Amino acid sequence: MEINVDLLKRICEAPGIPGREEQVREVVVRELEPLVDEIRVDALGNVIATKKGRGGPRVMLAAHMDEIGFMVRHIDDKGFIRLQNVGGFDARMLAAQRVLVHTRSGDALRGALQPDSKPIHVLQPDEVKPFKITDYYVDLGLPAEEVRARVDIGDMVTLDRTLERVGNAVMSKALDDRVSVFIMIEALRALGDHEAEVIAVATTQEEVGLRGAETAAFGVEPDIGVALDVTLAGDIPGFKPEEQVTRLGDGVAIKVFDSSHIPNHKLVRHFRDVAERHGIKYQLEVLSRGGTDAGAMQRTRAGVPVITISTPTRYLHTVNEMANVDDIQAAIQLVARYLEEAHTGDYRLG
C-alpha cells in the first residue's frame, strides 16, 4: 500500500521547534479529530486524543512534534543574527544551509546560515578550522534597522527544506519525529475492533529532554506505553555491519535497548508475535546512545511497561533525513494490529 505522502509532507514542513509546536499542532488536531472520541491540548502543548475501548488497558502512544532548530539570540549592528540551538545539531552539517526566521507577524524570512569564516579563496591553511554552533549566523539580506524592526530575540528559526520523494524513500527535514506523528495518525485510521483505550499523544519538547511525554504520561496514567520514533539506519558508507543499528527496507524496528529505557521484554515479544502473525517485516534495534519518549513514560508514577517502535532513518538530525516508505507502512500496520489485541497481553514481571 502507498502511504499518504501529501499528509506526511504537510506534517514535516510545518515549523515547530521545542516549545513552539503550534503550527504542527494545528495539522495534528485537524487530522486526529475525526478519528477519536475526545481531544484536548494540555499546559505543555501536548495533543492528547482518546479513542475509547471496552474496558481494556489504557495504551498511550507517544510521538513528538518538535524538531531541532534555533532561536534568535542576538542581532548585531549590521543585522546579522546569532542563534541559540534548541536540540542537538552536528555543526558540520549546517554550513551554507538556508533557514527561515519566523517573526511575530507570521512572516517567514528566508536567510543564509553561514559560519563566521572568510571564503576558502583567501584562507591560509592554518586558518581552516572545524565549525562550532556558536560560529554560525543568519544573513537575511536586509538592512540592520529592518531586521531589528521585524525580528525579536527568541523568534523561531527552522531549516528551510521540503519533503521530497526519492526512489522508494522520502527525504525531508524533521522526519525526526514527524514521520512517527504521521504513523500514529494512520495507525488510528487503520485500527479495527479493539478493547484497549487508546490515548494518542503528540508530544512537545522531546528534543530537549522528553518533557512533554513526562507530564502527559503523569496525567494519562497509562497501563502500557508505546513510543513511536525514528532510529539510526547505518546501511551507508562509513559503518561496519555490526554498527548499523538498522537498515532501510528491512522493516519497522522493534527496540530492545537504548540509553533512555530498556523495553519490557514481554511487550517486545508480543510485538514480534504480532508482526510474525501478520507478515509484517521487522528488525530488532539496539541503540547504544539516544532515547525516546518511552524513557519518560516508563518512569511515570509507579512505573509503566513500555516499548519503542522505530522507523529506520538515514542522516538523522540533518535536513536530508531519509526513510523507506515500505518501512513506514510496516510501522503503521504493526501499531494498528497490536492495538487490536493489546488487551491480551500480560507484561507483569513478578
Side-chain angles (χ1 to χ4, degrees), residues 87-225:
F89 278 102
D90 181 347
R92 299 174 303 165
M93 304 299 177
L94 292 171
Q97 295 293 341
R98 296 176 183 177
V99 294
L100 295 170
V101 178
H102 304 270
T103 72
R104 61 185 178 277
S105 67
D107 292 335
L109 305 177
R110 183 167 281 113
L113 184 63
Q114 295 294 134
D116 54 6
S117 173
K118 292 180 287 188
I120 193 68
H121 314 68
V122 293
L123 274 178
Q124 298 302 313
D126 62 353
E127 293 180 296
V128 177
K129 60 178 182 178
F131 299 128
K132 305 184 296 295
I133 294 291
T134 51
D135 294 328
Y136 286 92
Y137 64 90
V138 176
D139 182 353
L140 293 178
L142 295 171
E145 58 272 18
E146 186 171 350
V147 174
R148 289 181 178 276
R150 301 177 68 179
V151 177
D152 287 333
I153 302 301
D155 279 351
M156 173 172 60
V157 181
T158 59
L159 294 162
D160 180 18
R161 285 295 179 96
T162 56
L163 182 140
E164 305 297 338
R165 184 69 182 261
V166 182
N168 200 37
V170 287
M171 183 170 68
S172 179
K173 71 156 182 92
L175 281 180
D176 181 9
D177 188 32
R178 308 287 175 70
V179 70
S180 298
V181 175
F182 170 80
I183 288 165
M184 184 169 68
I185 293 168
E186 294 299 282
L188 288 182
R189 207 185 311 276
L191 182 59
D193 188 56
H194 61 100
E195 293 189 22
E197 181 177 30
V198 181
I199 303 98
V201 184
T203 64
T204 60
Q205 300 192 40
E206 189 270 355
E207 294 288 1
V208 290
L210 317 182
R211 298 174 187 177
E214 181 177 357
T215 60
F218 189 90
V220 167
E221 296 186 65
D223 299 308
I224 302 163

Side-chain angles (χ1 to χ4, degrees), residues 133-340:
I133 294 291
T134 51
D135 294 328
Y136 286 92
Y137 64 90
V138 176
D139 182 353
L140 293 178
L142 295 171
E145 58 272 18
E146 186 171 350
V147 174
R148 289 181 178 276
R150 301 177 68 179
V151 177
D152 287 333
I153 302 301
D155 279 351
M156 173 172 60
V157 181
T158 59
L159 294 162
D160 180 18
R161 285 295 179 96
T162 56
L163 182 140
E164 305 297 338
R165 184 69 182 261
V166 182
N168 200 37
V170 287
M171 183 170 68
S172 179
K173 71 156 182 92
L175 281 180
D176 181 9
D177 188 32
R178 308 287 175 70
V179 70
S180 298
V181 175
F182 170 80
I183 288 165
M184 184 169 68
I185 293 168
E186 294 299 282
L188 288 182
R189 207 185 311 276
L191 182 59
D193 188 56
H194 61 100
E195 293 189 22
E197 181 177 30
V198 181
I199 303 98
V201 184
T203 64
T204 60
Q205 300 192 40
E206 189 270 355
E207 294 288 1
V208 290
L210 317 182
R211 298 174 187 177
E214 181 177 357
T215 60
F218 189 90
V220 167
E221 296 186 65
D223 299 308
I224 302 163
V226 180
L228 307 175
D229 214 321
V230 295
T231 192
L232 292 175
D235 54 338
I236 55 175
F239 279 83
K240 298 176 183 177
E242 66 270 22
E243 298 172 336
Q244 290 184 353
V245 184
T246 64
R247 297 163 295 280
L248 255 61
D250 276 9
V252 58
I254 300 174
K255 190 185 292 288
V256 296
F257 178 90
D258 74 20
S259 57
S260 72
H261 72 293
I262 298 174
N264 178 289
H265 70 90
K266 292 185 176 180
L267 191 51
V268 170
R269 184 68 259 176
H270 193 169
F271 267 89
R272 293 183 67 182
D273 289 345
V274 171
E276 290 164 10
R277 198 178 313 117
H278 291 277
I280 298 168
K281 195 173 183 180
Y282 76 93
Q283 52 193 307
L284 297 176
E285 173 204 349
V286 175
L287 183 67
S288 58
R289 292 175 56 191
T292 75
D293 280 339
M297 290 190 287
Q298 184 183 57
R299 293 189 289 272
T300 195
R301 296 187 183 267
V304 178
V306 301
I307 192 172
T308 299
I309 301 303
S310 305
T311 302
T313 306
R314 293 175 182 163
Y315 321 122
L316 281 176
H317 284 204
T318 77
V319 296
N320 292 317
E321 294 176 336
M322 183 184 293
N324 181 284
V325 293
D326 294 332
D327 295 342
I328 296 170
Q329 183 61 39
I332 293 166
Q333 292 303 314
L334 179 59
V335 173
R337 301 293 80 80
Y338 168 75
L339 292 173
E340 291 165 0

